[in-house]
Amino acid sequence: MDVQPGPGNIIRVDIARDHSLVKMISLLMIAFFFFVLGIFIDGFEILAYVTWYLGVVALILWDRTTVELTNDMVKIHRPFFGSTILNKKDITETLIKRNYHFTFRYIWYLIMVGMSVYLFYGVFSDIQMYQIQHAPMDALIRLILSQSMLISLFIALFFNLERRLKHSTLLKVNTKNRSFVFYPEKPDEFEKVITEHS
């Protein structure tokens, strides 16, 4: 009989050599390539913005992992990125470890909030300057899109990191070939479930 988390229950998971992460980063790299082409052809600049913001959305979705537990395996589902299977019989070691970043989470929060304020202030100042200079509307739109690129990426990273910082402990699961880090609410109970198999 399957044992599954309740609907909407999301467990963050970091996986060594995660191919879905490579796909997501590839979108951002393609966006940079389009920006280079946009220097010569205007249409590619718009394509670059679309690709960049799709990459940021992909980064947010990539982190929304759900875990399905059966008697013999752990299925880690990432929206639009497929699933990763962890066979329980392949588990060689489980460790409940202290999340060292949890200790410094308030420092991390202050840094992230400070950076966000700084970035937003820079965008606001540039928009005011463009308005004073009576820049055309298309130039203002391009300014907002370009200046917001870094902010959007930073916000996505902020939320992904914050979801890990709130956990004081984590569960590390090793197999012969890969390593998984889970961030469940109750690592001890989660460890018992994933180490039981038929």
Side-chain angles (χ1 to χ4, degrees), residues 70-113:
T70 69
N71 289 333
D72 300 314
M73 65 182 66
V74 180
K75 297 178 183 177
I76 302 164
H77 303 287
R78 294 194 193 277
F80 306 111
F81 294 101
S83 301
T84 302
I85 305 297
L86 167 60
N87 288 313
K88 291 183 177 181
K89 63 181 180 181
D90 294 335
I91 296 174
T92 58
E93 183 182 34
T94 59
L95 299 165
I96 296 177
K97 300 178 68 176
R98 181 181 174 190
N99 185 358
Y100 290 103
H101 296 298
F102 176 80
T103 308
F104 303 104
R105 67 191 183 284
Y106 294 114
I107 296 172
W108 281 107
Y109 292 152
L110 286 174
I111 291 171
M112 288 187 277
V113 169

Side-chain angles (χ1 to χ4, degrees), residues 22-38 43-60 81 145 149 152-153:
V22 174
K23 293 176 186 176
M24 182 195 60
I25 292 172
S26 297
L27 274 175
L28 300 178
M29 294 178 68
I30 290 169
F32 279 116
F33 176 70
F34 286 153
F35 271 116
V36 173
L37 291 177
F44 278 101
E45 185 179 359
I46 296 169
L47 195 55
Y49 288 128
V50 171
T51 308
W52 177 269
Y53 287 107
L54 281 176
V56 171
V57 171
L59 178 61
I60 294 169
F81 294 101
L145 286 174
M149 287 174 61
S152 63
L153 179 61

